[in-house]
Every structure is written in structure tokens, then in C-alpha cells.
Amino acid sequence: MTALLAGIDTDRLRHFATHEAMRYSASRPNTQHALNMGEGAFLAGVPMHWMRDWPMPFPLLVESAKGAKITDVDGYGLDDFCLGDTGSLFGHSPAPVAKAVARQARHGLTYMLPSPDALEAGRLLTKRFGNFRWQIATTASDANRCAIRVARAVTGRPKILVFNGCYHGTVDDVMVELSGGETVTRSGMVGQVTDPAKHAVVVEFNDITALQTALAVGDVAAVLAEPVMTNCCMVLPDAGFWDAVRSACDAAATLLILDETHTVSSGLGGWARGHGLAADMFVIGKAVAGGVACAAWGLAPELARRFAVYDAKRSAGHSGMGTTLSGNPLQFAALRANLADVMTAKSYAHMEKLAVRLEEGLAAAITGVGAPWHVVRVGARVEFICAPDPLHNGTQAAAAHCAPVERAVHLGLVNRGCLIAPFHNMMLISPATKKGQVDRLIGAFIEVMAELFDQ
């Protein structure tokens, strides 16, 4: 009897994956040589160890990137739908951001004091995302750490509630998951000596009853969540879910922190603003400054007043929040340019239009081969998922991941000139993405599906 994986004959899948790996390796001698020459300086041979986790035999070595295209050292141009896993959501080196960075570089890169660009960037953050009192960080991980500290400080409560399968950067406090209905530390954590499960609570996304039960204990300072779960197979909120979450938080005097680092792809101002969801704190990172390392976290005015009272009473000394290079003038120059001239309604209209085209093209390809898969989209973010039905929570999302199939599809797309996100099946549309690039991705996906499903 033929063994199937996500509807694919496993022998056929193995043959396809082997062939594509050989094709990739044979086509990139310069990349292999350069990686071999330089690998001794880095742990695992790359600047960040996870760069080895791409589904290729070895990572691409990028020579340049512009707009929605990257070029590697072997001269191959790839249509980029990964876009730095959202970091370059608005394209590589948007012209207004590149000009602002070059201009600021002539006037200093860091001096631990505000600049005129900082003041204007603060105004633009409010214009784009809502009425918050802002602070700047270098990464969304840093921003989330600060938000958690503030939540605990003003509420006097120790615990943070997150949804099973979430990801909020490298924040130890919320590296937890559900196991047998209990909150436990995530498996695979390196060098973890404290137990974050003592100060965190996990419930399933879309389970309002479980959320209400957890908040009723009275020890949860804040719910930290993405409006849509994105760092697994995407999970959309049920109708009315977020209204119920907001009401439950208010009833329990628990704060709501929304991390829109990924869901900024959903539309101008993020998912919450587009859906009328009020947050007590708002976190945004990655793409907010057009690719320059920058993040922001904001407090709603009433919460800012509460924190000011707390802050005035605490002992002088280190707060445990902030890093020296955060809030530097280079960040503010890029942030101002991106918010004013790149992150616009016109850009989002273009992104949405092409994302719909991609969604429809991928769905047609899946239907065409009879695959038990589906496609999901949130604004400019599109994913194919190797499961027949929409997902409801993190447990279902984990079960829907099919690593051998996803790796094979990814590699097949790379060999056909298209790059998607490495850790799941996410594709992003930027303002720089062209209709022809979307059509090439759809065509490459059709080719790969035809080979996998013997069409």
C-alpha cells in the first residue's frame, strides 16, 4: 500500500527532494566555496545559528537586495517573498529610508540624546498606530520584555498569559507551551535554568472559556498576543473572539498587550486599528523602520499615567529596561521616513491587491492537483497549509506542519527563482512586488505541485 504524507506519495516526495537538493548544490559553486572559506569564524559557520535552518543544503549567500528581489553570489536573482521574515515587508532599501539613513550617517550614528527626527517619529507612530505614549527599542523582543515589566509593575501581579504556539521573540518569560493541559517550559530551550512556567499561563487561541478561567485566578498581569497567530501555521481569530478577550481583560483588571510585529502586514495601522480593538500596550518591530533594526512599544494614556505614579515611587537606579543603542538617531531617521513615505495607504492597497492574486493562484493550484491543503491570507501575508481545513488553535497549527513536504516545496521554489519564508510557508507582498513576480511564484508552485502529485 502506498504511504502518503500530506497527500503525497512518500517515495515520490523523497525522489523530488533529493533531485532538488542536488540541483541546488550543483548550481551554486561560488556560494559553497565562500561559505567553506568563511565558516571557521562563526559558530555553526554563519552569523546567527538559525541561518543554517533554511530548507536548502546550505544557505544562500546574498550579494545584494533591492525592492522585492535578491541576488546571490552565483548571480541568481530570486523574487523575494520572505522579505527578511517581515523585516523588509516594505521592500529592500526603500528609497526614502535609504536616503534618510545616508543623510543621518553624515551627522552621527548614536549619541544617547533625542533628535528632531525622534520627535516627528513619535508623532507619526501615533498617527499610524493610535494614541500611545511611546518608547523605542532595537527589536520586538526587547520591546516585549519592557512591556512585560511595565505590566507587572503597575498591576503588582506576576504572570503573563500567552496563547499556545505563540512567538514573541526571544523573551524567556513566555517561552512556554501546553502539555497535557498544563503550562510547561518549551522543550529545546538552550541553557534554561529558571522555569518560566512559574510566571506564565498558556491557553489555546480562540478558547475564550479557558482564558476567562485563567484570568479569574487574579494573578495575571497581562495577556500578550498577536491578533492573528502568525509564527506557526496561521490561525485566524473566531468572530467575536477579540471582543470577548477585551471584555475578559477588563473584568479581571488584566492588561492587553498586542504584538503587531507580524500583523502589521494586515493593513495600514495594523490589525487592531483596522478592527477597532483597543490595546493597553502596543508592540511593533521588524519592518517599522523599513529594515533598520528598530521597534516601538507604547502605553495607552491611562496606563502611562499609572506607570508614572509607580515610577515616581520606585527606588532610583536601573529599571531593567532599555539598551544604550536603542533610540539612536539612525533609527529615528529611518523610522520617520518609513512611516511618512513608505507605510502608506497607497502601499497597502498595492500589497493587498497582489496578495489576493497570490492567494487565488495558490488555491487554484492546490485544487488542480486535489491536494488536501488550503490557503490563508491576512492582508499582505499569504500561507499554504498542508491540512484540508482552517486551523483553530496552536495545537492544530503544530499538527498541520509537515516538515518534509514544506522543505521540499521550499527548495523546489528556490530552484525556480522564488524565495519564501524558511520556518513556515509564509509569503509576503511588498510595495515593490510586481504582478509578474507574483505570477512567477504561482507558476513555480504549479510546477512543484504537479511533480509532487504526479500530474
Side-chain angles (χ1 to χ4, degrees):
M1 184 176 179
T2 301
L4 298 179
L5 187 62
I8 302 169
D9 179 285
T10 53
D11 289 337
R12 189 174 193 85
L13 174 64
R14 192 177 305 111
H15 174 79
F16 176 84
T18 300
H19 173 76
E20 295 296 328
M22 292 173 61
R23 177 180 173 183
Y24 177 89
S25 297
S27 67
R28 286 177 166 82
N30 294 340
T31 299
Q32 287 194 74
H33 177 71
L35 287 171
N36 290 337
M37 292 296 291
E39 67 179 359
F42 289 113
L43 179 68
V46 284
M48 294 294 288
H49 64 90
W50 45 257
M51 290 180 178
R52 283 286 184 187
D53 293 342
W54 284 76
M56 293 91 83
F58 48 86
L60 292 167
L61 201 59
V62 177
E63 185 174 83
S64 64
K66 182 64 179 174
K69 200 172 191 72
I70 65 172
T71 302
D72 68 19
V73 297
D74 285 281
Y76 291 101
L78 291 97
D79 296 320
D80 188 6
F81 295 90
C82 174
L83 296 172
D85 193 19
T86 309
S88 292
L89 172 64
F90 300 103
H92 296 289
S93 298
V97 174
K99 290 177 182 177
V101 167
R103 183 171 59 249
Q104 183 59 47
R106 297 192 293 270
H107 298 284
L109 299 179
T110 189
Y111 27 74
M112 212 171 71
L113 286 166
S115 63
D117 277 341
L119 303 180
E120 179 61 12
R123 186 189 71 81
L124 289 169
L125 282 167
T126 297
K127 179 181 178 181
R128 284 285 175 260
F129 301 113
N131 188 18
F132 296 96
R133 302 296 177 263
W134 298 99
Q135 290 283 273
I136 300 301
T138 301
T139 69
S141 294
D142 293 335
N144 278 318
R145 288 187 189 98
C146 293
I148 287 171
R149 281 187 175 271
V150 169
R152 287 171 169 159
V154 300
T155 64
R157 297 174 177 179
K159 293 190 176 182
I160 304 298
L161 185 146
V162 293
F163 293 109
N164 192 37
C166 73
Y167 178 76
H168 297 290
T170 54
V171 181
D172 288 1
D173 304 70
V174 293
M175 287 292 184
V176 288
E177 61 188 354
L178 275 182
S179 178
E182 300 294 326
T183 298
V184 300
T185 300
R186 284 193 178 188
S187 59
M189 290 283 287
V190 174
Q192 187 69 36
V193 294
T194 60
D195 183 5
K198 292 181 178 179
H199 299 105
V201 182
V202 183
V203 301
E204 291 286 12
F205 195 72
N206 282 320
D207 189 341
I208 192 62
T209 300
L211 175 77
Q212 292 168 333
T213 299
L215 296 187
V217 177
D219 59 354
V220 175
V223 172
L224 171 60
E226 295 182 291
V228 175
M229 293 190 71
T230 65
N231 216 74
C232 51
C233 295
M234 267 204 302
V235 182
L236 304 182
D238 290 345
F241 174 68
W242 279 113
D243 289 338
V245 172
R246 180 70 270 182
S247 296
C249 287
D250 291 341
T254 297
L255 302 175
L256 176 58
I257 308 171
L258 290 182
D259 179 355
E260 294 237 37
T261 298
H262 284 170
T263 54
V264 69
S265 65
S266 65
L268 187 63
W271 193 97
R273 197 157 203 201
H275 291 78
L277 175 60
D280 298 298
M281 280 189 272
F282 184 93
V283 171
I284 181 74
K286 288 194 177 181
V288 72
V292 171
C294 183
W297 56 284
L299 283 65
E302 175 56 29
L303 180 59
R305 285 190 288 270
R306 290 174 63 187
F307 180 66
V309 171
Y310 167 88
D311 199 41
K313 294 179 180 178
R314 73 179 178 88
S315 300
H318 292 290
S319 67
M321 300 188 298
T323 55
T324 304
L325 293 179
S326 294
N328 68 68
L330 190 68
Q331 287 177 314
F332 285 121
L335 184 59
R336 176 180 182 175
N338 195 60
L339 291 172
D341 301 322
V342 182
M343 190 185 290
T344 64
K346 181 179 179 181
S347 291
Y348 274 100
H350 173 85
M351 294 155 70
E352 180 98 9
K353 180 179 179 180
L354 289 188
V356 170
R357 185 179 186 88
L358 177 58
E359 176 188 26
E360 292 174 347
L362 297 179
I366 288 168
T367 301
V369 297
W373 302 4
H374 72 281
V375 178
V376 63
R377 180 179 68 84
V378 175
R381 182 180 295 265
V382 182
E383 287 185 17
F384 67 87
I385 297 176
C386 301
D389 301 313
L391 307 174
H392 189 69
N393 57 42
T395 296
Q396 291 180 4
H401 269 301
C402 191
V405 172
E406 293 167 3
R407 292 177 66 88
V409 172
H410 182 106
L411 184 53
L413 293 177
V414 167
N415 284 336
R416 290 158 179 80
C418 302
L419 186 71
I420 68 173
F423 307 123
H424 42 98
N425 310 313
M426 184 268 294
M427 292 150 275
L428 289 167
I429 302 296
S430 78
T433 304
K434 308 298 184 186
K435 174 176 171 290
Q437 292 180 291
V438 171
D439 289 346
R440 283 196 292 273
L441 174 56
I442 294 169
F445 188 75
I446 290 171
E447 283 187 23
V448 169
M449 294 296 279
E451 290 201 34
L452 288 173
F453 285 89
D454 193 21
Q455 295 294 304

